[in-house]
Amino acid sequence: MASVLVVEDDQFVRSALIRHLTDAAHAVRSVGTALEALREVAHLRFDVVILDLGLPDLDGAEALKMLRGITDVPVIIATARDDEAEIVRLLNAGADDYLTKPFSVEHLSARIAAVLRRARAGGRDAPPETVLRVGGLTVDPLRRQAELDGRRLDLTRREFDLLAFLAARPGVVVPRKELLAEVWQQSYGDDQTIDVHLSWLRRKLGETAARPRYLHTLRGVGVKLEPPAADAPRGPGAEPPR
Ligand code: CA
């Protein structure tokens, strides 16, 4: 059971969410505006917030920013627009996950469970781990910091988890299914979730899918992280086959 804050202005969607979450034994509070949501999180402790992006008072990104200013409660974005750039921006701005409307109850429940597991696993009971090094990349799971060639990388929580998971098994192709299970703690497939985070992580590593250095996607197989070949000059000859 979790305490859930539903931020949704559509009365129909809101009622349905409350009913389903209550049926799933969660304690639910709900509000219809971003400002009410801010007031709620300032006064009460929630395990997770489900934030509709189309609210009457504040733009979704703005609402998320203000939420993040006062709480680090996990936030699942609910959006009607399947806009990858916008979703990536929000994940980068501190959202923990997202759902595209219309979503199923099962889907929502799975996301909530995953977010809660992650929040708990990231708590003080997490075992200490050693610093991982792959080429010029350094990943410190304990401090949750990563550097590339001595430069600190500004990663979201999920980007860091993804990078740390791959850095712990350099050169090994990790199947997408395993990434979903281990990093997202989901047992069903949603390749877009992985792709969104991978593309954003790539940008922060200063590389692209077409010209990978550390992150290599093997279509239909999985993803691997490995040091760039001899850190070679990145001329045309250094480009790996697609
Ligand atoms: Ca709305």
Side-chain angles (χ1 to χ4, degrees):
M1 185 194 117
S3 72
V4 183
L5 176 64
V6 171
V7 189
E8 170 65 70
D9 62 316
D10 183 318
Q11 195 54 52
F12 179 76
V13 176
R14 192 162 141 185
S15 306
L17 277 175
I18 294 169
R19 193 171 60 246
H20 291 310
L21 290 168
T22 307
D23 284 351
H26 296 306
V28 188
R29 286 179 69 90
S30 70
V31 291
T33 66
L35 290 179
E36 286 174 298
L38 291 169
R39 200 179 311 137
E40 286 288 309
V41 299
H43 292 104
L44 296 167
R45 205 194 63 81
F46 294 96
D47 294 316
V48 60
V49 173
I50 299 167
L51 178 66
D52 171 38
L53 284 190
L55 292 171
D57 56 341
L58 278 181
D59 161 56
E62 195 61 30
L64 179 65
K65 201 168 117 191
M66 292 180 74
L67 269 177
R68 275 288 164 262
I70 52 178
T71 173
D72 59 0
V73 64
V75 175
I76 299 175
I77 296 290
T79 174
R81 287 178 299 164
D82 197 2
D83 178 347
E84 180 173 326
E86 172 73 357
I87 290 166
V88 164
R89 197 162 66 88
L90 290 163
L91 290 171
N92 200 46
D96 292 84
D97 217 329
Y98 72 95
L99 285 162
T100 309
K101 291 178 182 179
F103 47 78
S104 69
V105 183
E106 290 74 21
H107 208 157
L108 173 65
S109 297
R111 293 289 165 103
I112 289 177
V115 160
L116 292 177
R117 272 197 303 273
R118 292 216 54 73
R120 280 161 195 163
R124 59 200 150 81
D125 294 335
E129 294 169 73
T130 49
V131 175
L132 308 163
R133 287 175 218 283
V134 180
L137 195 60
T138 314
V139 181
D140 184 342
L142 189 58
R143 294 195 174 76
R144 297 190 66 81
Q145 288 176 4
E147 290 183 354
L148 178 59
D149 301 328
R151 186 176 51 86
R152 175 87 167 267
L153 295 171
D154 183 20
L155 304 178
T156 64
R157 191 192 315 184
R158 191 50 63 76
E159 286 162 4
F160 182 87
D161 290 342
L162 179 59
L163 183 64
F165 188 81
L166 292 170
R169 15 188 101 55
V172 175
V173 179
V174 181
R176 287 165 169 274
K177 252 198 162 102
E178 190 178 335
L179 280 180
L180 271 174
E182 298 295 330
V183 179
W184 276 263
Q185 306 197 335
Q186 292 173 4
S187 55
Y188 55 92
D190 182 356
D191 277 3
Q192 204 206 354
T193 303
I194 296 182
D195 289 337
V196 164
H197 285 83
L198 274 177
S199 71
W200 203 245
L201 185 55
R202 270 205 179 95
R203 266 167 78 164
K204 293 188 177 173
L205 293 174
E207 58 184 66
T208 61
R211 299 186 65 128
R213 289 186 74 222
Y214 285 89
L215 269 180
H216 300 262
T217 308
L218 289 89
R219 195 165 301 161
V221 184
V223 185
K224 72 173 170 177
L225 182 85
E226 63 182 7
D231 248 334
R234 294 165 71 184
E239 195 167 353
R242 300 223 23 209

